[in-house]
Amino acid sequence: MLVSRFLSGANMGVQVDCVATLPSSHQIESTANNPFLGAKALVVEGGAMRGIFSAGVLDSFLQFGFSPYNVCLGVSAGSTNLAAWLAGQQGRNYRVITDYSCRPEFISLTNYLRGKHYIDLDWLWQITINEIRLDLNTFSKQTVPLYVVTTDIQTGEANYVLANAGNLEQLLKASCAVPLAYRSFPELDGKGKTDGGVADSIPVIKAYEMGARDITVVLSKAVGFRKKPSSMPWLIDRLFAQYPALQSQLKSRYQRYNQALEFIQNPPADCRIRIIAPPSEFSVGRTTRDDRKLRAGYSMGRKAGSDFIHQFSV
């Protein structure tokens, strides 16, 4: 099996191929019914404002006309960046993150303490649809399927929904709806949904189950990161008492996140994983609004994307 890493910073542009051993827990059955058997897939992690890195990566892809993929899977900010990439809107999400998302109307502790949203997706979606809308016409004409991950609040299960021009905007909003920070649950087909990252933060295993055997993963944190358990599980129990399945998924999220990372580092023998990850000096957090840090993070993504393209091999 082959794991290819394309890293930023001092190691940016260096491809490292390593032999990995597959843990028995990751034995996944291949079947002829997989719709994308043998496909090249692009998986993009979310992370709210950390999405500035993948925005840079995908803007580089647009700049160089790079699109070797048969299917895409995205979560939260990662799915919005994929949508803009597939719609051909270079620079669109850079503007969304560095301008609209930094305005006080979007992230506000004062509003949250007053019973409103801490992260106001209603405001962000309305203003960006009015002023810098995704090009739904171009998106509908392109041929690469985009699956957006959401979490069902009743079952706690990950839903992988195929995006189209009709459902795209509401679907992206549901995938970005961070529990508590956004107090509502966007509905899809009459069912409440929340942040796709709760159930599947990095849908690389799903891409493999769908049949992809050459998977590029754009991460939002440096290689080597591992998620830790919640320090306040009792608070999750209290705040989500009405949604026991979601409650359970929130508490076990770190396990699925780390399982995905383990899969990336140790893929099955018939699967190639290519990693694009920010460097250790990437300093953007989930709610960072520091313009200097955001611009630096975007530049890291642009360079990582460019280096990846120039070293990409079939």
Side-chain angles (χ1 to χ4, degrees), residues 22 48 123-124 211 286:
L22 176 66
W123 175 85
L124 184 65
R286 183 175 290 274

Side-chain angles (χ1 to χ4, degrees), residues 47-49 75-77 79-80 92 96-97 100-101 103-108 111-112 116-130 149-150 168-187 193-196 286-287:
M49 302 296 269
V75 183
S76 189
S79 62
T80 66
R92 189 246 181 204
V96 170
I97 295 172
Y100 293 93
S101 296
R103 298 185 191 183
E105 294 91 341
F106 180 53
I107 299 176
S108 173
N111 285 345
Y112 188 71
K116 300 179 181 180
H117 304 294
Y118 176 50
I119 297 178
D120 193 343
L121 294 181
D122 297 335
W123 175 85
L124 184 65
W125 254 241
Q126 180 178 358
I127 194 169
T128 54
I129 286 173
N130 290 340
V149 187
T150 65
L168 181 62
E169 290 168 332
Q170 182 69 2
L171 181 56
L172 295 177
K173 185 177 183 180
S175 188
C176 291
V178 178
L180 293 184
Y182 179 72
R183 294 181 182 271
S184 303
F185 295 120
E187 290 192 356
K193 309 295 181 181
T194 192
D195 179 9
R286 183 175 290 274
T287 58

Side-chain angles (χ1 to χ4, degrees), residues 159-264:
N159 299 145
Y160 307 90
V161 184
L162 180 61
N164 57 56
N167 69 8
L168 181 62
E169 290 168 332
Q170 182 69 2
L171 181 56
L172 295 177
K173 185 177 183 180
S175 188
C176 291
V178 178
L180 293 184
Y182 179 72
R183 294 181 182 271
S184 303
F185 295 120
E187 290 192 356
L188 294 170
D189 297 326
K191 296 182 179 180
K193 309 295 181 181
T194 192
D195 179 9
V198 173
D200 192 353
S201 296
I202 312 172
V204 61
I205 296 176
K206 181 63 177 180
Y208 181 78
E209 291 174 341
M210 291 171 68
R213 292 299 179 265
D214 187 337
I215 307 172
T216 299
V217 183
V218 183
L219 298 174
S220 297
K221 292 189 176 182
V223 170
F225 171 79
R226 291 295 184 273
K227 187 175 285 294
K228 297 179 180 179
S230 170
S231 60
M232 295 184 291
W234 58 268
L235 185 59
I236 293 174
D237 288 339
R238 179 177 178 181
L239 295 175
F240 294 96
Q242 296 181 5
Y243 306 98
L246 180 60
Q247 181 186 82
S248 176
Q249 290 288 68
L250 284 164
K251 289 191 292 185
S252 60
R253 179 180 184 179
Y254 76 99
Q255 295 175 331
R256 291 184 300 282
Y257 189 97
N258 293 338
Q259 286 169 357
L261 293 176
E262 183 182 350
F263 182 93
I264 290 168

